[in-house]
Amino acid sequence: MPRRTPPAIPDPAVEGDEVAILLDRLRRELVDLHAATVDLQLCLGPTLAAAAGDGAVLRAGQTLDLLTQSLDGLATFAGAASRQVSGSGRLDAAAAAATVTLDALSSRLAGRAPSRSSGRRPGDLDLF
């Protein structure tokens, strides 16, 4: 699967917004890592399915899925942070974290304790 690297924001020599550019570079790296883990999941899927009776293999597959989702969440957060900083020069970490679908990751990025509520958000994953 080809990697999709979204377009970059302008170079700091042109725009001078070095923090936003750094955050966007981070986002692009995370997007590439996310794509690599998606490729791994696609490649390893049949092997994991064949070994579904093995609890250790199942947990490893779930860990790979959580890694993939986390990389996507971190890329989303970095992109939101980059857009905020680029537009205003300020960062609202809670607002940027609100774009992340994994509740525990979103909470950590916002600097708050993960929610213990029974309500589930799309993308939440329980390892067992």
Side-chain angles (χ1 to χ4, degrees):
M1 174 181 291
R3 293 197 175 140
R4 298 167 279 126
T5 302
I9 59 177
D11 188 55
V14 176
E15 293 295 319
D17 197 352
E18 295 178 20
V19 173
I21 291 165
L22 177 62
L23 287 167
D24 189 65
R25 288 178 183 155
L26 175 63
R27 177 194 60 82
R28 286 184 283 143
E29 291 298 323
L30 291 166
V31 165
D32 286 347
L33 290 170
H34 172 260
T37 60
V38 168
D39 290 347
L40 278 173
Q41 285 182 310
L42 293 173
C43 181
L44 295 175
T47 302
L48 294 173
D54 184 338
V57 172
L58 178 61
R59 283 188 298 280
Q62 290 175 327
T63 299
L64 178 58
D65 186 56
L66 180 59
L67 174 63
T68 301
Q69 292 181 51
S70 295
L71 286 168
D72 183 52
L74 289 169
T76 299
F77 175 81
S82 176
R83 287 186 299 278
Q84 281 183 12
V85 170
S86 179
S88 68
R90 295 181 168 252
L91 174 61
D92 178 354
T99 65
V100 176
T101 58
L102 290 174
D103 186 55
L105 178 59
S106 176
S107 294
R108 289 190 305 270
L109 291 170
R112 60 181 191 273
S115 171
R116 297 287 180 199
S117 70
S118 61
R120 308 291 294 155
R121 291 179 57 184
D124 284 354
L125 171 71
D126 286 332
L127 297 177
F128 51 104

